[in-house]
């Protein structure tokens, strides 16, 4: 569990175990970690759990700034062994996630925030939970219903016969029309007048 040790001006110190999502730090009584009187602001900084399992410190626009390892910071992730200053109040950050830092002797009582215990298990609730855990979810496949309206294929025998009949009627008519027009152009008279004369002769 990550821990932060606050060093008081009188030489005493207090160690806090961090096991929650965030902790406010400052002189005001409403903070999670209350700093002793000094140059720290009433609401000086906040510690937030990050994805590595360590905490990130963010300065809350304090008057005398927040420093990590001697440098003023706005937001910076903390690592095991980092030294902090909230105004003039010194602190050390320690974590089980060790990255090239000195070992930490954990021989001081720890104040733990947000310690949570598992809720009691009721026999009926335990059986219900086991039943829910044993349920296997089977994905449902949705089948589209087949259409009841018959679809007419463009390659059906009926379609082919119809096209053949139309073609056999259109072709002779077009051919005859061409002969009439050609006769009119060559002879200067319409073909049916010539046909009438031929039939009466």
């Amino acid at each position: 569990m990550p821990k932060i040790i606050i060093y008081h001006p009188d030489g005493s110190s207090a160690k806090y175990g961090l096991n929650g999502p965030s902790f406010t730090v400052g002189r005001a009584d409403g903070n999670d970690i209350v700093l002793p009187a000094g140059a720290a602001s009433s609401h000086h900084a906040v510690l937030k759990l990050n994805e590595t399992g360590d905490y990130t410190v963010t300065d809350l626009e304090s008057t005398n700034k927040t420093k990590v390892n001697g440098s003023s910071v706005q937001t910076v992730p903390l690592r095991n062994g980092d030294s902090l200053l909230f105004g003039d109040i010194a602190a050390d950050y320690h974590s089980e996630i060790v990255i090239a830092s000195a070992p930490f002797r954990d021989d001081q009582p720890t104040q733990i925030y947000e310690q949570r215990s598992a809720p009691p298990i009721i026999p009926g609730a335990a059986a219900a939970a086991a039943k829910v855990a044993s349920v296997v979810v089977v994905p449902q496949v949705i089948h589209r219903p087949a259409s009841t309206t018959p679809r007419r294929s463009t390659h059906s025998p009926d379609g082919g016969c119809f096209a053949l009949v139309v073609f056999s009627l259109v072709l002779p008519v077009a051919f005859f029309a061409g002969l009439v027009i050609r006769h009119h152009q060559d002879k200067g008279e319409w073909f049916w007048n010539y046909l009438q004369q031929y039939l009466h002769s």
Side-chain angles (χ1 to χ4, degrees), residues 151-163:
R151 298 178 62 184
R152 184 171 181 177
S153 173
T154 56
H155 301 287
S156 63
D158 295 341
C161 291
F162 178 75

Side-chain angles (χ1 to χ4, degrees), residues 49-71:
L49 185 66
N50 59 40
E51 65 276 3
T52 67
D54 274 319
Y55 282 78
T56 296
V57 62
T58 299
D59 185 79
L60 299 178
E61 299 182 358
S62 62
T63 303
N64 294 305
K65 307 301 180 183
T66 299
K67 293 183 178 180
V68 176
N69 299 326
S71 300

Side-chain angles (χ1 to χ4, degrees), residues 9 22 24 75-76 78 80 104-105 114 143 153 159 168 178 198:
S22 65
T24 56
T75 298
V76 66
L78 297 175
N80 183 49
F104 170 55
R105 292 184 58 192
E114 294 191 12
H143 297 281
S153 173
S168 63
Y198 177 77

